[in-house]
Amino acid sequence: MEAYLDNSATTPPCPEAIAAMREALTTVWGNPSSLHWAGLNAERLLAQSRESLAELFGCEPAEVTFTSGGTESNNLAIFGAANALRRRGRRVVTSAVEHSSIAESVKELASRGFEVVYLSVDRGGRVSEQELMQAINAETILVSLMAVNNEVGSLQPVEVIRRVVQYHRAPALIHCDAVQAFGKLPMQPARLGVDLMTVSSHKIHGPKGAGALYVRRGVKLNPLVYGGSQENRLRPGTEGMPAIAGFSAAVRALPNPMAIMDYVSSLRDRLVAGAASMEGVKLNSPPDALPYLTNLSVPGLQSETMLNFLSERGICVSSGSACAKGKKSRVLRAMGLGDADIAGALRISLSRFTTWEEIDAFLYALNEARLTLARK
């Protein structure tokens, strides 16, 4: 049987998102900036979409900026904050296990003269609160820490950053990449104490091409592009309404995340128990990782070889972040894993639509791969 277990890369769009996109393409196709009836209908849909996301965030609609996805939102947060605050300090604090859209952005900031401090992680992929306290100082203008790691599912202590920033009286803005947490955990920016928060549509069964950045009222960011007044001038250009409408519909279709956590946890427990019963299989995710995401290794076998073997049997998993394009995981390296574990790593990621049968199909195929490929 086929089993799609690569939901951290992308999720299949839900029926509600597909229907909303179809309507936006066929009946609400106007430009939201136009003043005639077609534009006003589109503007109304845009406002409703923004309100849907704001309700989930527990914020004002004006604090939601639509983007093309997580990577653009992260870039807008990093460069927008750094450029806006560069006269107040030059230090940027992040972790060694962030998504590539953060890692590459802060690398570019370093080339422009900013001081970038990378927080190390423990064997479970979690940063130390003590190291966080030491890294932030009065010159820190930005702290960016993801809520959930996209390769191993580690939960990061985002909620403690505000206290540390206040302790040091730093001018820092706090950014959270919540792409892997959104829709799976309660993610309200005010409760987390963050100024900026990134989310993406296609991780919650919405379409690709839509995302959002929460920008707390009063926070000033420098835009990345110029040319229009859309999205409070932070993201000028005609809004992609079909994708935004689908995103909004996917948001409205989300169940209470805690109401389905037990189900997803039971799927994960079955997955972990089954994998652990196979000789040589090692679990890389910490025990308290988000249940939606499990990373494991089969040392002695190459990830690419196993991925091809599994794919031929209808099983879709990955070797790590989809954005890495097969490169060896710097996340697992930062966690202290050896070459063999990194080379043989697989990421299995679930959704609320994952079934018991898919878990069992994966375990059967994994065991078959372990026994078959080891003989070659």
Side-chain angles (χ1 to χ4, degrees):
M1 104 173 243
E2 293 185 351
Y4 183 78
L5 300 172
D6 196 18
N7 290 279
S8 288
T10 196
T11 53
C14 63
E16 294 88 345
I18 295 172
M21 293 181 70
R22 183 180 297 114
E23 181 179 5
L25 285 166
T26 57
T27 64
V28 196
W29 40 260
N31 187 324
S33 298
S34 299
L35 298 180
H36 45 62
W37 63 265
L40 293 176
N41 286 342
E43 194 281 331
R44 189 176 301 112
L45 177 60
L46 178 62
Q48 291 170 349
S49 299
R50 201 182 310 278
E51 288 168 2
S52 295
L53 203 51
E55 182 177 355
L56 196 61
F57 283 169
C59 71
E60 301 175 21
E63 295 176 304
V64 175
T65 296
F66 284 115
T67 68
S68 65
T71 291
E72 184 186 353
S73 291
N74 281 342
N75 273 258
L76 179 55
I78 297 299
F79 290 108
N83 291 330
L85 294 173
R86 63 188 309 154
R87 294 184 179 179
R88 301 188 64 185
R90 308 290 285 187
R91 175 171 285 201
V92 174
V93 176
T94 188
S95 85
V97 296
E98 297 298 307
H99 186 268
S100 60
S101 58
I102 297 293
E104 292 298 318
S105 294
V106 298
K107 181 180 178 181
E108 176 61 24
L109 286 182
S111 74
R112 300 180 187 182
F114 289 87
E115 177 194 13
V116 179
V117 177
Y118 296 93
L119 303 169
S120 62
V121 295
D122 59 20
R123 179 59 181 79
R126 182 181 169 95
V127 304
S128 160
E129 295 181 20
Q130 181 178 0
E131 187 175 348
L132 184 65
M133 174 67 78
Q134 295 171 344
I136 296 174
N137 62 18
E139 302 298 316
T140 304
I141 58 170
L142 176 64
V143 181
S144 182
L145 189 65
M146 64 194 340
V148 173
N149 183 265
N150 58 305
E151 291 192 36
V152 297
S154 305
L155 303 172
Q156 300 293 5
V158 175
E159 67 283 354
V160 308
I161 301 175
R162 174 61 60 191
R163 296 197 301 271
V164 179
V165 166
Q166 291 174 341
Y167 175 83
H168 288 286
R169 297 182 181 178
L173 293 177
I174 301 170
H175 168 247
C176 176
D177 176 353
V179 166
Q180 295 296 341
F182 184 53
K184 305 176 182 74
L185 294 171
M187 295 303 296
Q188 294 189 315
R191 292 185 179 181
L192 288 172
V194 301
D195 304 294
L196 307 162
M197 190 172 79
T198 293
V199 297
S200 180
S201 166
H202 74 105
K203 309 294 187 179
I204 62 161
H205 304 282
K208 300 171 185 65
L213 179 67
Y214 161 81
V215 183
R216 181 176 58 79
R217 176 181 286 276
V219 168
K220 302 299 181 184
L221 298 180
N222 286 7
L224 298 179
V225 295
Y226 297 83
S229 60
Q230 295 92 344
E231 300 303 305
N232 292 322
R233 296 186 179 275
L234 276 180
R235 208 272 184 176
T238 303
E239 293 90 349
M241 287 311 304
I244 290 173
F247 184 14
S248 173
V251 166
R252 293 193 300 273
L254 285 171
N256 183 317
M258 305 319 292
I260 60 170
M261 187 61 77
D262 285 346
Y263 172 67
V264 178
S265 296
S266 63
L267 291 174
R268 187 274 311 272
D269 292 347
R270 188 181 190 123
L271 167 65
V272 170
S277 69
M278 301 177 196
E279 184 179 355
V281 177
K282 299 177 64 177
L283 184 66
N284 301 324
S285 294
D288 61 350
L290 186 72
Y292 287 82
L293 204 158
T294 299
N295 193 294
L296 55 82
S297 291
V298 185
L301 298 182
Q302 297 294 309
S303 299
E304 184 176 354
T305 303
M306 286 191 291
L307 289 177
N308 291 334
F309 185 95
L310 294 171
S311 182
E312 290 172 356
R313 287 150 180 79
I315 311 297
C316 297
V317 296
S318 72
S319 58
S321 172
C323 297
K325 293 288 187 181
K327 295 180 181 178
K328 299 305 179 185
S329 172
R330 56 185 172 77
V331 171
L332 298 181
R333 179 72 68 196
M335 291 168 57
L337 272 68
D339 291 341
D341 290 337
I342 295 174
L346 295 177
R347 180 184 70 175
I348 304 94
S349 46
L350 318 179
S351 82
R352 68 181 187 269
F353 299 118
T354 301
T355 66
W356 297 104
E357 290 78 12
E358 287 179 301
I359 299 296
D360 290 341
F362 166 74
L363 290 171
Y364 181 87
L366 177 65
N367 194 46
E368 185 183 8
R370 181 180 67 88
L371 298 174
T372 303
L373 297 176
R375 293 196 297 265
K376 293 185 178 181

Coordinates of all heavy atoms in Angstrom, one line a residue, residues 12 25 84 112 121 170 192 277 316:
P12 N -0.7 17.2 1.6 CA -1.7 17.2 0.6 C -2.7 18.3 0.9 O -3.2 18.4 2.1 CB -2.2 15.8 0.6 CG -2.0 15.3 2.0 CD -0.7 15.9 2.4
L25 N -10.3 31.6 -8.1 CA -9.9 31.6 -9.5 C -11.1 31.9 -10.4 O -10.9 32.5 -11.5 CB -9.3 30.3 -9.9 CG -7.8 30.1 -9.3 CD1 -7.4 28.6 -9.5 CD2 -6.9 30.9 -10.1
A84 N 16.5 47.6 10.1 CA 15.8 48.6 10.8 C 16.5 49.0 12.1 O 16.4 50.1 12.6 CB 14.4 48.1 11.1
R112 N 27.9 41.2 5.9 CA 27.6 42.7 5.9 C 28.1 43.4 7.2 O 27.8 44.5 7.4 CB 26.2 42.9 5.7 CG 25.6 42.4 4.4 CD 24.1 42.7 4.2 NE 23.5 42.0 3.1 CZ 22.3 42.2 2.7 NH1 21.5 43.0 3.4 NH2 21.8 41.5 1.6
V121 N 23.5 23.0 20.4 CA 22.3 22.2 20.9 C 22.9 21.0 21.6 O 24.0 20.5 21.3 CB 21.4 21.8 19.7 CG1 20.7 23.1 19.2 CG2 22.1 21.1 18.7
A170 N 18.1 44.7 26.2 CA 18.5 44.7 24.8 C 17.4 45.2 23.9 O 16.2 45.1 24.2 CB 18.9 43.3 24.3
L192 N 3.8 33.6 23.5 CA 5.2 33.2 23.3 C 6.2 34.4 23.6 O 7.3 34.2 23.8 CB 5.4 32.7 21.9 CG 4.8 31.4 21.5 CD1 5.0 31.1 20.0 CD2 5.5 30.3 22.3
S277 N 12.4 -2.2 17.4 CA 12.5 -3.7 17.5 C 13.3 -4.2 16.4 O 13.7 -5.4 16.4 CB 11.0 -4.3 17.4 OG 10.5 -4.1 16.0
C316 N 6.6 7.2 1.0 CA 7.3 8.5 0.8 C 7.7 9.0 2.2 O 6.9 9.3 3.1 CB 6.3 9.5 0.3 SG 5.7 9.2 -1.4

